[in-house]
Amino acid sequence: MDRNRLQHQVACMRRSLFDQGYLDEPFIQLEELQDDANPNFVQEIVTLFYTDSARLIQNIEHALNSRPIDFDKLDDYMHQFKGSSSSIGAKKVTNECTVFREYCSAENAEGCIRSFQQVKQEYAILRRKLEVYLQMVRQAAVSRTA
Amino acid sequence: MVLGIDASSSSLSNKNLSVLVVDDDPLIRMLHDNYLKHFGLKPHVVENGKEAVKLFQLGIYFNLILMDNEMPIMNGVEATKVLRDMGSTSMIVGVTSRGSPSEMQTFMEAGLDFCFEKPLTFDMIDFILKELNMNDDDDDDTNN
């Protein structure tokens, strides 16, 4: 596929990620930092986000499975998760983290477990979409103009 | 909407400013490090408040310190208090994940110049650098 078509597809997908609320303002800042001197910056940050998230998700799972539940610890982990997801502009994930933290401060175990499923789901969806999007960006970058 | 902050015009005057980023999250450290480089700065980066205090004790001065609050070993509130008690005159800007007014107030009372909620935006950095450059100008005036 030629470069123009690919670039057009990239632009469309990018717009829909923002329009549908998966991504927010901070992601634009990441994109602004990507240039010839820093050509893979977005991918590097996103990869770091995946690593961070995997660790925090595991910690939260463990904390939710402990009896009694340590709500302070849970809140600590989730606030870290919220911090990094909001910093890259992962809007839906961040919103679900906020819901979780509300259940956490109310010490509502069932609410926490339910909302954590939502957090994981939004994270999985975003990750899939980002992987597709960034792969398209890479393809467009190396493709030839027809 | 992004205002398209033009960092290039200010990056010449920013080259003489020394900045320290203090955050336990490697993602945030990398982000803020790159954001500041975008504005023509070369930040030092450490992972908790104790490391920041150590640098001060070694006599290393920073014009600006970006201080996270929630960190292990020594958090932002403690580190800011210790630095001020030890006589630090750096501009210290708190960057916190917890937005509650009482937490931000506690953090400010520790000795911050400004406190922002994460995520840090280009607008915030632009504001901070303008404040820094203004302070430098004031110092020059009083020395004349």
Side-chain angles (χ1 to χ4, degrees):
Chain A
M1 194 181 290
D2 76 29
R3 184 168 215 181
N4 290 335
R5 293 255 305 268
L6 274 172
Q7 286 180 333
H8 179 72
Q9 278 195 333
V10 165
C12 283
M13 189 172 179
R14 184 183 174 279
R15 196 163 43 240
S16 83
L17 284 171
F18 282 93
D19 288 348
Q20 290 173 20
Y22 289 103
L23 291 178
D24 207 347
E25 191 77 9
F27 192 82
I28 299 176
Q29 289 186 166
L30 297 187
E31 291 176 311
E32 285 192 28
L33 292 180
Q34 185 156 302
D35 55 22
D36 292 338
N38 227 340
N40 298 313
F41 182 68
V42 176
Q43 182 65 71
E44 284 169 13
I45 290 286
V46 167
T47 304
L48 203 45
F49 172 64
Y50 296 155
T51 313
D52 238 23
S53 303
R55 177 180 53 89
L56 288 165
I57 286 172
Q58 197 174 43
N59 289 341
I60 294 169
E61 298 268 22
H62 186 77
L64 277 174
N65 288 329
S66 314
R67 294 290 178 275
I69 293 182
D70 184 345
F71 286 101
D72 283 340
K73 210 174 204 176
L74 259 184
D75 189 59
D76 263 344
Y77 290 139
M78 191 46 92
H79 116 258
Q80 278 181 59
F81 198 0
K82 185 181 169 188
S84 49
S85 62
S86 68
S87 292
I88 69 152
K91 193 174 176 185
K92 290 194 187 210
V93 175
T94 306
N95 290 342
E96 295 301 335
C97 290
T98 305
V99 173
F100 180 97
R101 292 190 71 200
E102 283 165 14
Y103 283 119
C104 210
S105 49
E107 301 205 351
N108 181 338
E110 214 184 278
C112 284
I113 291 167
R114 262 197 334 262
S115 65
F116 186 50
Q117 296 311 312
Q118 288 299 112
V119 170
K120 283 193 293 187
Q121 194 173 4
E122 286 301 339
Y123 169 72
I125 293 170
L126 175 69
R127 183 166 175 164
R128 270 201 312 272
K129 286 183 184 284
L130 275 178
E131 280 172 354
V132 170
Y133 172 67
L134 291 176
Q135 188 175 44
M136 267 170 52
V137 168
R138 275 195 301 276
Q139 278 177 350
V142 302
S143 66
R144 296 175 174 284
T145 311
Chain B
M1 289 300 294
V2 169
L3 299 177
I5 302 287
D6 178 15
S8 56
S9 56
S10 50
S11 58
L12 277 176
S13 59
N14 292 338
K15 271 193 164 54
N16 294 325
L17 294 174
S18 58
V19 185
L20 177 66
V21 174
V22 191
D23 201 303
D24 65 324
D25 185 345
L27 173 67
I28 304 294
R29 283 201 300 273
M30 186 172 171
L31 265 180
H32 290 178
D33 182 39
N34 277 279
Y35 285 176
L36 294 166
K37 280 177 172 142
H38 185 62
F39 283 81
L41 296 154
K42 288 192 188 131
H44 276 72
V45 180
V46 295
E47 57 184 48
N48 63 56
K50 192 158 191 194
E51 298 299 313
V53 169
K54 271 190 208 167
L55 289 175
F56 182 84
Q57 286 171 324
L58 288 170
I60 299 170
Y61 172 76
F62 294 99
N63 296 103
L64 170 66
I65 301 175
L66 284 184
M67 183 81 78
D68 181 28
N69 194 10
E70 299 83 12
M71 296 180 286
I73 302 176
M74 188 187 283
N75 69 22
V77 167
E78 293 168 51
T80 304
K81 279 187 187 154
V82 168
L83 285 170
R84 291 304 189 208
D85 284 344
M86 283 166 55
S88 168
T89 57
S90 305
M91 177 179 285
I92 306 180
V93 175
V95 185
T96 174
S97 312
R98 297 186 199 275
S100 83
S102 61
E103 300 218 28
M104 285 179 90
Q105 185 173 4
T106 308
F107 204 179
M108 281 296 292
E109 283 167 2
L112 296 179
D113 292 284
F114 302 103
C115 192
F116 291 110
E117 215 180 312
K118 280 180 193 173
L120 206 59
T121 66
F122 287 174
D123 287 353
M124 291 171 185
I125 296 174
D126 198 51
F127 169 82
I128 292 166
L129 292 176
K130 286 201 168 89
E131 289 291 316
L132 257 183
N133 284 320
M134 256 164 47
N135 288 351
D136 273 3
D137 287 344
D138 287 346
D139 287 344
D140 289 341
D141 286 343
T142 55
N143 285 338
N144 283 342

